[in-house]
Amino acid sequence: MPPVPPVAIPSLAGSDSAPLAAHAPLTMLLLNIAHAIAHLVLLIFATAVGAVAADFGFSRWEDLMPYAAGAFLFFGLGSVPSGRLGDHWGRRAMMLVFFFGIGAACLIAATTHNAWQMAAALALIGIFASIYHPVGIPMLVQGTQRPGAVIGVNGLAGNLGIAAAAVLTGFTVKYLGWRMAFVISGLFAIAIGALFARVVPREDLPPARRTPKQSDLPAPELARVVLILTLTSTAGSLVFNFTTNGNGELLGDRMREISTDPAAIGALLGLVYVIASFAQLIVGRAIDRYPLKCLFLIIVLMQVPLFALAAYAHGWVFYVLAIAFMSFVFGAIPFTDALIVRYVDDRMRSRVAGVRFAIAFGVSALAVWLLGPLVKANGFAFLLILMAAIAAFAAAGVTFLPAGRGLASQMRSSRS
């Protein structure tokens, strides 16, 4: 049987004549802050849901939680048009829409007075938040020589936004009310957007109009990578949404001695996220040096026993396990972006990332909708065992990825 002919796909360089220049440090910093904002605003409601439920007349937070599903549904579905506009219109322009749109949506959320108004406001936040991953991350990695390290720092920034949501919302709920958490975050996003508009130069050409440099990958292998990437990122997004949206109430359930103090819960949860976030720095640097498949498999496999143990733990033992399982949940995040950088040229990364995020986050929005009813009917132990099963499925999928070297060395080879 004759060998399968390779299919030409764009390489990592971005241009056939001159690679794209890396961004100035201030631009990189603002793009990383934008990642923090995207996650912060999506999780304000999850952290404050108990206070919002009481304000809206709900007797249980679980009954209000499904109204947040629209935010995560549109966070996923909005990635497709966001990615297309990023490639064809320009990433800088789309990032300005991100900053100012998300700021305005947060201010609207602060004015809501019932569940359906909040659902609409959260959906609007999800639409604008959908811009960041297919636009901001491809903008960030263009021209870099060490993409793994850059992705790792960016992941740390995003997870610090999750930590900030827990701490900011916890203290704001206690001292100023839940509405001010949205107001403060919205005004901050607008201020960063104004600075971004001032210091980030306009693009000479939108990415889609740049000339690609070609490299080859057998067609069946490329199809397999795309399929596995979609399946594993969907499983990872389910775990990510279950944990980040449920951890506040989960921590209160397993540490009942402090469950009545939202500031204490917020501070402890924020510390979990801060510690776990540094896993992305370690993983990002490792991605540049070691084979992606082996690293990815180890990170995902470690989630299985940690979730299973956490299902039966309470008190400070549970807290230590929470730090551990969130470290591996966050540590798995850079691999999806690394695989996109490995196989997709910069001129079309926003569109490819957009489709991937639409599927993964669109499906995982189901996690937010099911979170309250699942916990109400079965308890948190069932939820943790379910996440262990999802992680096991993701690990099985990773075994089908092609083998390869570290990302930085693969990029150097493709450019030579």
Side-chain angles (χ1 to χ4, degrees):
M1 180 177 179
V4 178
V7 59
I9 67 165
S11 77
L12 305 153
S15 172
D16 57 354
S17 55
L20 293 167
H23 291 296
L26 182 55
T27 299
M28 302 281 279
L29 174 63
L30 293 176
L31 286 169
N32 283 324
I33 291 174
H35 195 192
I37 290 172
H39 286 290
L40 186 157
V41 298
L42 281 169
L43 292 173
I44 292 173
F45 176 79
T47 309
V49 65
V52 180
D55 194 18
F56 287 177
F58 286 77
S59 59
R60 298 173 61 96
W61 70 268
E62 295 95 332
D63 296 327
L64 183 60
M65 196 67 203
Y67 289 89
F72 294 89
L73 178 63
F74 286 107
F75 183 54
L77 296 181
S79 296
V80 174
S82 293
R84 184 170 182 80
L85 286 168
D87 280 343
H88 287 279
W89 183 34
R91 291 173 184 156
R92 178 185 180 275
M94 285 299 293
M95 286 306 300
L96 291 175
V97 174
F98 165 83
F99 284 116
F100 294 117
I102 218 164
C106 283
L107 296 179
I108 291 171
T111 68
T112 59
H113 290 88
N114 62 56
W116 286 109
Q117 289 177 2
M118 177 60 78
L122 292 174
L124 191 62
I125 288 174
I127 289 170
F128 288 111
S130 75
I131 295 171
Y132 183 78
H133 288 90
V135 176
I137 294 177
M139 185 176 182
L140 185 74
V141 299
Q142 67 184 45
T144 182
Q145 296 298 310
R146 295 188 61 82
V150 171
I151 291 169
V153 172
N154 181 254
L156 171 64
N159 292 333
L160 290 178
I162 297 172
V167 177
L168 169 70
T169 308
F171 279 87
T172 305
V173 167
K174 183 173 181 177
Y175 296 108
L176 300 173
W178 65 266
R179 297 180 190 277
M180 284 304 298
F182 284 105
V183 171
I184 293 169
S185 301
L187 293 177
F188 178 70
I190 291 170
I192 296 298
L195 180 60
F196 189 91
R198 183 176 179 84
V199 303
V200 177
R202 296 178 182 274
E203 296 168 293
D204 293 330
L205 286 174
R209 293 176 60 187
R210 300 172 191 150
T211 305
K213 181 179 179 180
Q214 300 294 314
S215 107
D216 56 13
L217 185 72
E221 190 172 350
L222 178 60
R224 182 176 56 168
V225 167
V226 173
L227 175 61
I228 295 167
L229 178 63
T230 302
L231 291 175
T232 56
S233 61
T234 300
S237 296
L238 281 167
V239 170
F240 180 85
N241 277 346
F242 272 132
T243 52
T244 55
N245 284 278
N247 275 343
E249 298 298 329
L250 174 58
L251 202 61
D253 179 76
R254 296 305 174 93
M255 303 184 72
R256 293 187 181 276
E257 65 272 19
I258 59 169
S259 62
T260 57
D261 187 345
I265 290 290
L268 284 173
L269 185 55
L271 183 61
V272 170
Y273 292 148
V274 169
I275 295 172
S277 294
F278 283 93
Q280 295 213 32
L281 288 181
I282 299 169
V283 169
R285 292 181 181 277
I287 282 173
D288 284 329
R289 300 177 58 189
Y290 302 108
L292 290 175
K293 178 179 178 178
C294 181
L295 284 171
F296 199 5
L297 183 59
I298 292 170
I299 295 294
V300 178
L301 271 177
M302 285 300 298
Q303 295 175 23
V304 179
L306 290 171
F307 281 131
L309 288 171
Y312 303 100
H314 292 80
W316 292 105
V317 173
F318 172 80
Y319 189 73
V320 172
L321 286 169
I323 293 173
F325 69 64
M326 287 310 302
S327 295
F328 285 98
V329 170
F330 286 171
I333 294 172
F335 288 97
T336 296
D337 295 316
L339 287 166
I340 291 175
V341 170
R342 168 65 185 91
Y343 293 111
V344 182
D345 178 60
D346 179 68
R347 67 190 291 270
M348 59 186 299
R349 278 184 198 150
S350 289
R351 280 166 286 173
V352 172
V355 172
R356 199 279 300 176
F357 275 104
I359 296 171
F361 281 97
V363 172
S364 66
L366 183 66
V368 182
W369 183 73
L370 287 175
L371 178 60
L374 272 176
V375 173
K376 185 177 181 180
N378 304 286
F380 277 112
F382 174 83
L383 178 66
L384 288 161
I385 293 297
L386 176 62
M387 288 190 289
I390 294 171
F393 170 79
V398 173
T399 62
F400 291 95
L401 282 171
R405 292 167 292 164
L407 185 55
S409 62
Q410 286 177 325
M411 291 183 70
R412 286 192 292 271
S413 298
S414 69
R415 285 170 173 162
S416 61

